[in-house]
Amino acid sequence: MNDFAAKDLHRTSATHNDVRVAPRTAHSEQALESESYTHGHHESVLRSHRWRTVSNSAAYLAPQLHSGQTVLDIGCGPGTLTVDLARHVAPGQVIGVDAADEVLDDARAHAAEENVTNVDFQHANAYKLPFADNSFDVVHAHQVLQHLSDPVAAIQEMRRVVKDGGIIAVREADYGSMTWYPPNPGLDEWNALYHEVTSAYGYEADAGRRLLSWFHSAGIDQNSIYPSAGIWCYATPETRTWWGGLWAERCVASNFAHQAKEAQLADDVALEELAHEWQNWAEEPDGWFIVPNGEVIVKA
């Protein structure tokens, strides 16, 4: 462990996913947002979400999208990906759902700005979707299951609302497979802390590699599952500045920071030092960061 981590970062000795009960304190309101959503909806998080489109976040699904389809986008956030899905299936109807009303307002505003009218946004719980059986041609979730305590139950709910012959599409990052250059002990500490925080709240940071297992556990026929993987890469001056800046802010201001402190896994000094390490990495002319994403398409 480097000097700053040894001095400032208070971490438990638990291995990843050993802890399954989220802390409950008098200060839990923000940490319990959207079933303890690790990132929350700080502006640094929403900037990342607003970047997402079909081409950079759902390319594996694009060949399955056709004019006239009905689509459900679970965990739609501020709606940029949802609105792009609506463009791909117009005049088919798209519904985006999320558990946070404030991001739904952002999504509606984005759709209006883009003059995309075949999309609607609703508040919904991923475990109990307010739709009848066999309602949608495509059910899509991007970076959602990693933030749920029971991803298998959510997959079963997706299967309920997709039409026979329809498509389920899920994409999840895998934090344990993320890699970067140059070596940076601070980012090593950040990654370990992220795993410990998500574990403390009962979630799975390495969701990407577990998608196939979760779909099998949900009772999905293995012959109908088509797994793949995709990469986000941040290696230009612009993308390094953007990605490093996002995580520098998240380390001190997002729900991740609140949860790390609430679970007594880190303090303000440690989190500020991690933010500084992210800024240092972003300034590296040779800096390279890769985010692997597991992907699954199910042909129901």
Side-chain angles (χ1 to χ4, degrees):
M1 183 181 293
N2 54 317
D3 290 344
F4 85 81
K7 179 176 66 175
D8 294 325
L9 188 55
H10 306 308
R11 301 202 355 242
T12 70
S13 59
T15 57
H16 297 170
N17 301 314
D18 283 347
V19 182
R20 285 302 181 191
V21 179
R24 295 290 188 268
T25 75
H27 307 288
S28 293
E29 283 189 18
Q30 182 169 1
L32 294 176
E33 175 187 8
S34 301
E35 203 197 14
S36 300
Y37 176 38
T38 302
H39 299 287
H41 295 98
H42 184 263
E43 177 58 27
S44 61
V45 177
L46 295 181
R47 285 205 308 276
S48 173
H49 293 179
R50 293 184 189 114
W51 166 79
R52 296 172 182 172
T53 63
V54 170
S55 63
N56 65 35
S57 299
Y60 75 110
L61 173 60
Q64 308 295 330
L65 298 175
H66 308 291
S67 174
Q69 288 173 317
T70 53
V71 179
L72 175 64
D73 187 25
I74 300 172
C76 64
T80 53
L81 181 48
T82 320
V83 167
D84 207 19
L85 288 168
R87 293 190 185 99
H88 279 69
V89 301
Q93 293 297 304
V94 176
I95 298 178
V97 298
D98 204 284
D101 288 328
E102 65 269 30
V103 294
L104 292 174
D105 290 338
D106 287 351
R108 294 182 186 106
H110 176 68
E113 290 169 4
E114 295 294 311
N115 198 30
V116 174
T117 59
N118 62 319
V119 62
D120 187 26
F121 295 95
Q122 301 179 22
H123 184 280
N125 184 321
Y127 298 126
K128 193 174 182 180
L129 297 168
F131 308 108
D133 297 357
N134 307 311
S135 292
F136 298 93
D137 297 308
V138 179
V139 177
H140 170 264
H142 186 269
Q143 313 298 346
V144 173
L145 297 184
Q146 64 186 278
H147 302 296
L148 299 180
S149 57
D150 193 348
V152 172
I155 292 169
Q156 291 170 330
E157 185 69 348
M158 294 178 199
R159 179 63 186 89
R160 181 185 68 80
V161 299
V162 75
K163 293 178 181 178
D164 290 340
I167 296 290
I168 300 172
V170 174
R171 190 172 194 255
E172 295 288 335
D174 192 299
Y175 279 75
S177 299
M178 293 181 186
T179 189
W180 51 85
Y181 185 85
N184 185 312
L187 295 194
D188 293 339
E189 293 295 336
W190 158 79
N191 193 276
L193 177 62
Y194 188 89
H195 278 89
E196 290 173 356
V197 170
T198 52
S199 178
Y201 285 82
Y203 309 135
E204 181 50 71
D206 298 340
R209 72 187 69 179
R210 288 173 166 79
L211 283 181
L212 195 59
S213 172
W214 288 342
F215 274 83
H216 288 162
S217 296
I220 306 298
D221 181 358
Q222 64 180 357
N223 294 320
S224 69
I225 303 173
Y226 299 85
S228 61
I231 297 290
W232 285 329
C233 180
Y234 307 103
T236 66
E238 294 78 15
T239 58
R240 278 195 303 271
T241 297
W242 181 75
W243 184 243
L246 290 177
W247 269 107
E249 285 189 59
R250 290 187 194 190
C251 283
V252 296
S254 75
N255 205 42
F256 166 67
H258 285 266
Q259 289 186 343
K261 291 184 288 186
E262 183 176 77
Q264 300 182 5
L265 293 166
D267 59 19
D268 284 324
V269 175
L271 293 167
E272 288 169 4
E273 191 61 46
L274 292 182
H276 181 66
E277 292 300 316
W278 269 106
Q279 293 166 340
N280 286 342
W281 171 82
E283 293 170 0
E284 288 280 357
D286 297 328
W288 186 286
F289 198 105
I290 292 174
V291 179
N293 292 274
E295 302 162 344
V296 161
I297 282 182
V298 172
K299 296 185 178 180

